[in-house]
């Protein structure tokens, strides 16, 4: 008999009942150090007092009105996002997947309105992940996600990650946009080098196509800048955001330049819940933290500390670990042993990490993690690696 919950997830046998900072408490009382943060979502830790306050204040006043009316919290968050980024305008969604839907629609509508309805192609890269909607799975293109779900949304061109020659050949008169994660998350924490992001920007400018960044996982201070692309000094035309921006409350956004958004006129897009007062009240509180230069400096300091300690850990377990990669507090350990075994051994040591493709375990701690918790994480991973190595 089918379970009453549609069985699409392979869930670990833990049930968390409380969260505080970098810690999750299991129903049986055990406390786990959370280096997954709900897959890069709880950017300011669990039950962050400022976020709890923002949410409960708003919950006591008004939950939902719909986008038929003015929503001041939404306006405030759009103003904060545009003040701190390349963007001129923002549309709010409830998830990263919905942000992908709009990013694709926006790029195509842009060219349609410019008198180029033939420009519908979106170039994407192997190992990418953009969500599980029809556009999201067609964009990423991996068989694991698309098999059996055809016919797929047409118009996506899939290239090998890092294949510059293929990219130059693939751009043609039907290309609308290039869509890329500045740091691939699900694909195994693979940062796109700054010079490649710059090269993409140049190519898009030269050929007159739109550049879309998916910063759903790598954005919102995760890499030590407000958005990951800032390290490269270039900006996209359209950007997808989600996860960290809501700190655990479902919230996403598409940010765009005035030019790129020019096709999205009255009635061309909408959402019942997107940008609701609860999500946006929390989003404003998140933005107030992550735009503080002192906060970002701390993320960078702790990222350097964690990376240095991980190098030592990897050197101590050459049979289990291969190397560390990533940016800021978006770190991946490429494993020699099975990444699933390492994640599982971590559970026994009361530490949560997240597997990714390419036999990587992801470390995506709350950005508020303390130095002592970093030390604790290293000793737990050390014990987990010893258990895997001995097995
Ligand atoms: C880079 C990227 N894009 C899009 C998504 C989809 O976001 P959501 O699960 O919020 O729909 C994810 C989720 O993991 C992601 O990592």
């Amino acid at each position: 008999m089918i379970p009453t919950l549609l069985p699409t997830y392979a869930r670990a046998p833990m049930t968390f009942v409380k969260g505080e900072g970098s810690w999750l408490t299991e129903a049986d009382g055990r406390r786990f150090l959370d280096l997954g943060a709900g897959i890069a979502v709880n950017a300011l830790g669990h039950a962050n007092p400022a976020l709890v306050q923002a949410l409960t204040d708003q919950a006591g006043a008004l939950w939902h009105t719909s986008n038929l009316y003015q929503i001041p919290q939404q306006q405030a968050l759009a103003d904060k996002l545009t003040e701190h980024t390349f963007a001129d305008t923002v549309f709010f969604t409830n998830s990263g997947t919905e942000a992908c839907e709009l990013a694709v629609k926006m790029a195509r509508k842009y060219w349609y309105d410019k008198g180029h309805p033939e420009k519908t192609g979106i170039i994407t890269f192997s190992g990418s992940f953009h969500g599980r909607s029809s556009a999201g799975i067609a964009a990423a293109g991996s068989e694991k996600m698309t098999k059996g779900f055809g016919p797929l949304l047409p118009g996506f061109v899939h290239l090998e990650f890092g294949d510059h020659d293929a990219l130059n050949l693939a751009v043609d008169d039907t290309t609308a946009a290039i869509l890329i994660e500045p740091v691939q998350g699900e694909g195994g924490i693979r940062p796109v080098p700054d010079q490649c992001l710059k090269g993409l920007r140049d190519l898009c400018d030269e050929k007159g196509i739109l550049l879309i960044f998916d910063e759903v996982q790598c954005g919102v201070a995760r890499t030590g800048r407000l958005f990951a692309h800032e390290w490269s000094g270039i900006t996209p035309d359209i950007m997808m955001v989600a996860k960290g921006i809501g700190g655990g409350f479902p919230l996403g956004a598409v940010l765009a330049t005035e030019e790129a958004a020019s096709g999205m006129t009255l009635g061309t897009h909408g959402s019942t819940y997107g940008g609701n007062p609860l999500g946006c009240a929390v989003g404003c509180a998140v933005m107030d933290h992550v735009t503080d230069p002192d906060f970002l400096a701390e993320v960078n300091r702790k990222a350097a500390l964690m990376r240095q300690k991980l190098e030592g850990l990897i050197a101590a377990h050459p049979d289990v670990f291969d190397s560390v990669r990533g940016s800021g507090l978006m770190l991946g350990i490429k494993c020699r042993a099975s990444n699933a075994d390492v994640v599982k051994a971590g559970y026994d040591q009361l530490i949560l990490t997240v597997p990714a493709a390419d036999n990587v375990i992801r470390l995506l701690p709350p950005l508020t993690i303390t130095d002592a918790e970093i030390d604790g994480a290293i000793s737990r991973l050390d014990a987990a690696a010893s258990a895997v190595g001995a097995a």
Side-chain angles (χ1 to χ4, degrees):
M1 209 168 71
I2 192 166
T4 53
L5 275 175
L6 191 73
T8 60
Y9 296 114
R11 297 177 199 267
M14 289 95 75
T15 305
F16 296 111
V17 292
K18 192 171 165 47
E20 206 179 343
S22 306
W23 298 88
L24 282 172
T25 306
E26 219 271 349
D28 64 9
R30 286 177 302 158
R31 292 182 82 229
F32 286 71
L33 188 50
D34 184 8
L35 263 58
I39 321 184
V41 166
N42 305 100
L44 299 183
H46 297 280
N48 181 292
L51 303 198
V52 172
Q53 187 77 52
L55 183 63
T56 50
D57 284 354
Q58 187 57 47
L62 184 66
W63 288 25
H64 177 77
T65 58
S66 89
N67 285 299
L68 292 171
Y69 312 106
Q70 308 293 322
I71 301 178
Q73 299 79 8
Q74 197 181 117
Q75 183 63 56
L77 184 53
D79 291 347
K80 286 179 197 289
L81 283 164
T82 52
E83 183 193 336
H84 289 282
T85 66
F86 72 95
D88 302 311
T89 190
V90 184
F91 183 94
F92 290 104
T93 67
N94 308 285
S95 67
T97 301
E98 289 166 77
C100 177
E101 293 293 317
L102 174 55
V104 168
K105 282 178 70 176
M106 187 181 278
R108 289 179 171 170
K109 186 66 163 39
Y110 173 80
W111 288 114
Y112 181 88
D113 282 12
K114 293 277 173 208
H116 288 287
E118 75 287 359
K119 280 182 167 285
T120 57
I122 314 270
I123 294 176
T124 65
F125 299 90
S126 59
S128 64
F129 183 79
H130 303 294
R132 296 290 200 136
S133 63
S134 295
I137 61 173
S142 87
E143 202 192 333
K144 194 176 132 205
M145 284 189 288
T146 57
K147 196 172 175 203
F149 293 112
L152 296 178
L153 188 68
F156 292 95
V157 178
H158 305 107
L159 302 181
E160 275 309 305
F161 185 81
D163 188 340
H164 297 181
D165 295 339
L167 178 60
N168 283 311
L169 286 173
V171 174
D172 65 18
D173 291 345
T174 66
T175 307
I178 296 174
L179 164 58
I180 191 165
E181 294 158 80
V183 184
Q184 275 193 357
E186 305 299 311
I189 310 290
R190 296 198 292 177
V192 179
D194 288 347
Q195 69 271 22
C196 294
L197 289 182
K198 285 193 188 117
L200 281 175
R201 181 70 271 176
D202 289 345
L203 181 68
C204 288
D205 290 345
E206 186 193 321
K207 306 277 184 184
I209 54 183
L210 297 172
L211 182 58
I212 308 173
F213 285 160
D214 180 344
E215 292 231 15
V216 166
Q217 193 160 150
C218 61
V220 194
R222 176 67 36 202
T223 67
R225 301 291 287 264
L226 182 56
F227 288 101
H229 68 265
E230 291 173 23
W231 290 109
S232 69
I234 58 99
T235 56
D237 302 294
I238 300 172
M239 180 167 70
M240 297 153 51
V241 178
K243 290 187 182 279
I245 190 67
F249 196 92
L251 178 65
V254 173
L255 279 62
T257 62
E258 182 169 11
E259 175 68 12
S262 58
M264 301 308 296
T265 51
L266 197 64
T268 53
H269 201 62
S271 166
T272 297
Y273 290 121
N276 72 75
L278 293 172
C280 289
V282 178
C284 282
V286 169
M287 278 296 283
D288 290 344
H289 279 72
V290 296
T291 53
D292 178 348
D294 292 341
F295 179 88
L296 291 168
E298 267 295 277
V299 172
N300 285 305
R301 186 189 64 76
K302 287 184 288 194
L305 180 69
M306 190 151 173
R307 199 164 178 135
Q308 178 213 329
K309 288 182 186 265
L310 285 172
E311 297 283 5
L313 175 78
I314 287 162
H317 297 279
D319 49 336
V320 178
F321 297 133
D322 179 80
S323 50
V324 60
R325 62 203 197 197
S327 176
L329 287 173
M330 184 171 184
L331 293 163
I333 305 179
K334 167 100 175 148
C335 297
R336 293 209 172 117
S338 144
N339 63 344
D341 289 349
V342 177
V343 170
K344 205 155 168 292
Y347 296 157
D348 296 334
Q349 302 303 326
L350 307 183
I351 184 163
L352 305 177
T353 60
V354 184
D358 200 27
N359 206 33
V360 161
I361 63 165
R362 270 178 285 179
L363 312 180
L364 309 160
L367 305 177
T368 50
I369 191 169
T370 65
D371 290 12
E373 287 165 349
I374 290 174
D375 283 341
I378 298 298
S379 49
R380 284 162 201 241
L381 288 172
D382 185 44
S386 297
V388 170

